[in-house]
Amino acid sequence: VQLQASGGGLVQPGGSLRLSCVVSVSPDEILPMAWYRQAPEKQRELVAAISSGGRTQYSDSAKGRFTISRDSAKNTAYLQMNSLKPVDTAVYYCSADRLFFKVLGGISDYWGRGTLVTVSS
């Protein structure tokens, strides 16, 4: 299983970005997935997760601003980020696993390379 994340970039405070993560699995397999981020000199943290059944979970900092979703037909998960703040600056990673608890716990078997999001004026 391979994951390819994209969509990062430079955005002004208050702006929006949408990250995408394509996962290479068979079309009939829907994996739990998550987005994590790691800011400079900080630990990696969970941003949002989605189960194979569509149940979502968000960090407190993401609630109300970020939305995780998936297009199963395209084997792609998305992270729509609105009202971005400088503190959202980080490398964002997508992850996937066949077990949701592993995705939530940051111990997924599969990780993408990360995409940098910079929020700055």
Side-chain angles (χ1 to χ4, degrees), residues 15-20 35 47-48 58 62 64-69 77-84 92:
S16 299
L17 278 177
R18 188 177 78 158
L19 306 183
S20 300
W35 287 96
V47 177
Y58 296 91
R65 299 189 300 130
F66 295 1
T67 302
I68 188 170
S69 62
Y78 303 97
L79 184 68
Q80 177 66 44
M81 303 186 294
N82 299 327
S83 302
L84 283 161
Y92 285 70

Side-chain angles (χ1 to χ4, degrees), residues 42-121:
K42 291 190 175 181
Q43 289 189 334
R44 185 178 61 193
E45 63 174 354
L46 174 68
V47 177
I50 186 166
S51 72
S52 56
R55 178 161 58 102
T56 58
Q57 185 162 323
Y58 296 91
S59 66
D60 288 342
S61 62
K63 286 178 183 176
R65 299 189 300 130
F66 295 1
T67 302
I68 188 170
S69 62
R70 71 193 312 151
D71 184 336
S72 299
K74 296 181 179 180
N75 287 342
T76 302
Y78 303 97
L79 184 68
Q80 177 66 44
M81 303 186 294
N82 299 327
S83 302
L84 283 161
K85 307 173 183 179
V87 296
D88 296 317
T89 296
V91 177
Y92 285 70
Y93 299 90
C94 60
S95 71
D97 198 282
R98 291 178 173 83
L99 299 174
F100 193 37
F101 82 89
K102 292 179 68 178
V103 168
L104 292 175
I107 54 174
S108 304
D109 284 347
Y110 312 111
W111 291 84
R113 283 192 174 184
T115 184
L116 176 62
V117 173
T118 303
V119 184
S120 176
S121 54

